[in-house]
Amino acid sequence: MPYVTTDDGAEIYYTDWGSGGTPVLLSHGWPLSSDAWAAAALYLAEHGHRVVAHDRRGHGRSSRTWDGNEMDTYADDLACLVETLDLRDLTLVGHSTGGGEVVRYVGRHGTERVARVVLVSAVSPLMLRTDDNPGGLPIEVFDQIRAGEKADRAQLYRDLADGPFFGHNRAGDVDQGFRDAFWLQSMACGHRAAYECIAAFSATDFRPDLAKVDVPALVIHGDDDQIVPYDVGGARSVELLADARLLTYPGSGHALPDTDRDRLHADLLAFIDA
């Protein structure tokens, strides 16, 4: 299996599909792996693009490091991957935590290699409620997730998959296969990495990073997102980007790469090929 090795010795697993066309890099959500993007990767590769997707450190098949489970290191790991594969004219696509990862990459490494950015149900600009972010979510929300991770992570992932992640607690069923895949990928994430990443996705302030995005951006968010509420995520991020367009998916939840697959794939391809 292909890996790149970071400066601190972490092994970052990745897939690299397709050839020709402009490259696309897909960054996944917590506590999943690049498998969460498998359908999109296949679709974009079949439509002529080189598609790279990695497992964030601590997640999936990458090293379960004790240190570095925070956004700066995630972004530097991403830079290691981008530079090792010499990706240029690149489209960065991030779902949920992956959205934060790709904008922190831009904040730390610029857009010399980046042509466009896509944020899907992204955690940017800042999920946590603070004095200067009064519209955010209270710390108790994330403390509850941390408590669940420590007490019984296997059940936490069942509860998320059967409830707010896919919107299974709303009207209509979500396929058992999607929920099983969420649980399986989540259990492959290291315990410390999963625990530390809760702080990374909730408390990292991406507002300065969004201000540095000087390439076209597409923001996609469901207006019934129960993990990153629409007004906390997509609607706010697009206000902080210089050249961005917001696509709102009415009635859709957080897991757009699964629940809104066909529409998302078409919107991604149209933006990349524009």
Side-chain angles (χ1 to χ4, degrees), residues 80-95:
C80 175
L81 178 63
V82 169
E83 291 163 13
T84 300
L85 300 183
D86 194 24
L87 301 176
R88 299 179 183 276
D89 195 21
L90 174 64
T91 299
L92 291 172
V93 182
H95 173 242

Side-chain angles (χ1 to χ4, degrees), residues 84-184:
T84 300
L85 300 183
D86 194 24
L87 301 176
R88 299 179 183 276
D89 195 21
L90 174 64
T91 299
L92 291 172
V93 182
H95 173 242
S96 193
T97 298
E101 183 178 63
V102 301
V103 296
R104 179 52 54 95
Y105 168 90
V106 171
R108 288 175 67 81
H109 299 279
T111 55
E112 180 182 355
R113 293 174 178 267
V114 179
R116 57 193 73 79
V117 172
V118 184
L119 304 179
V120 180
S121 313
V123 297
S124 61
L126 174 59
M127 288 189 72
L128 183 65
R129 180 180 297 167
T130 62
D131 289 344
D132 68 346
N133 188 46
L137 299 172
I139 186 68
E140 289 79 9
V141 171
F142 307 108
D143 286 345
Q144 185 176 4
I145 301 172
R146 274 187 278 264
E149 174 69 31
K150 280 199 169 180
D152 187 348
R153 62 193 306 249
Q155 188 59 49
L156 170 68
Y157 302 147
R158 289 282 186 212
D159 293 342
L160 287 171
D162 291 342
F165 187 83
F166 291 105
H168 191 62
N169 54 340
R170 304 296 204 206
D173 292 332
V174 176
D175 288 351
Q176 184 68 50
F178 288 144
R179 290 179 280 141
D180 288 349
F182 179 93
W183 186 85
L184 185 64

